[in-house]
Amino acid sequence: MTFLRKPDREPLSQAEWKVMRIVWRLKCCASRDVYAEAGQEHGWSTSTVKTMLRRLVDKGYLSTEQIGNSFLYRPTRSALASLRTAADTLLDNALEGTTGAVIAHMVKHSELSAGEVAELRELLDSHKSPPAPKTKRKKKQ
């Protein structure tokens, strides 16, 4: 039986992931930096980006500090921690018996280094499957 983990914060939308990638890449940035990159990369208006930044602060993914007329944004957690939470949610929602297929799909569509492949092989080699359920034997009479 699988128990669903309750995410520690509301999940990111696809557009919010795009904004977070910009902030993670810049580490600490002014709102105008995010507007410029999001506008150039995605064609978004300043007001669209402002709305997403506000939502990301409200959801707890970004912290903000006002300096003069500008705001500085910093991620409150690493990209890897956020991706792990998203992966946990994906696995929690996988139908029984589909987890292997989901993981295989992710591996097929990923660019993995030789070191990452070796780490995955080691994990798979050391992975122990849960024991098969025991069936009750009927007593002979």
Side-chain angles (χ1 to χ4, degrees), residues 28-45:
C28 176
C29 54
S31 50
R32 68 181 172 276
D33 299 325
V34 183
Y35 305 152
E37 282 206 36
Q40 187 175 27
E41 288 178 27
H42 309 294
W44 294 341
S45 70

Side-chain angles (χ1 to χ4, degrees), residues 1-50:
M1 177 179 241
T2 303
F3 294 97
L4 297 178
R5 291 175 282 264
K6 185 178 179 201
D8 56 352
R9 54 189 84 195
E10 191 178 337
L12 293 169
S13 70
Q14 190 172 11
E16 289 167 344
W17 276 105
K18 291 176 181 180
V19 172
M20 286 303 300
R21 280 189 202 101
I22 293 169
V23 179
W24 280 317
R25 187 171 52 248
L26 298 174
K27 295 180 179 53
C28 176
C29 54
S31 50
R32 68 181 172 276
D33 299 325
V34 183
Y35 305 152
E37 282 206 36
Q40 187 175 27
E41 288 178 27
H42 309 294
W44 294 341
S45 70
T46 300
S47 63
T48 297
V49 178
K50 278 183 186 180

Side-chain angles (χ1 to χ4, degrees), residues 3-131:
F3 294 97
L4 297 178
R5 291 175 282 264
K6 185 178 179 201
D8 56 352
R9 54 189 84 195
E10 191 178 337
L12 293 169
S13 70
Q14 190 172 11
E16 289 167 344
W17 276 105
K18 291 176 181 180
V19 172
M20 286 303 300
R21 280 189 202 101
I22 293 169
V23 179
W24 280 317
R25 187 171 52 248
L26 298 174
K27 295 180 179 53
C28 176
C29 54
S31 50
R32 68 181 172 276
D33 299 325
V34 183
Y35 305 152
E37 282 206 36
Q40 187 175 27
E41 288 178 27
H42 309 294
W44 294 341
S45 70
T46 300
S47 63
T48 297
V49 178
K50 278 183 186 180
T51 298
M52 282 193 270
L53 287 170
R54 187 180 67 252
R55 283 186 195 156
L56 289 164
V57 170
D58 291 345
K59 287 182 174 184
Y61 286 92
L62 293 177
S63 66
T64 185
E65 177 183 354
Q66 186 170 1
I67 299 181
N69 291 340
S70 188
F71 288 91
L72 286 182
Y73 292 91
R74 288 184 181 83
T76 58
R77 65 192 310 200
S78 70
L80 185 56
S82 296
L83 287 165
R84 283 182 175 149
T85 299
D88 287 344
T89 300
L90 175 66
L91 293 174
D92 285 343
N93 291 313
L95 294 173
E96 192 171 318
T98 63
T99 304
V102 170
I103 293 170
H105 175 81
M106 292 174 75
V107 169
K108 285 178 191 174
H109 295 292
S110 299
E111 292 182 23
L112 300 170
S113 69
E116 290 168 326
V117 170
E119 184 180 356
L120 285 171
R121 277 200 175 103
E122 189 177 310
L123 280 169
L124 289 171
D125 290 342
S126 68
H127 183 73
K128 292 183 174 44
S129 296

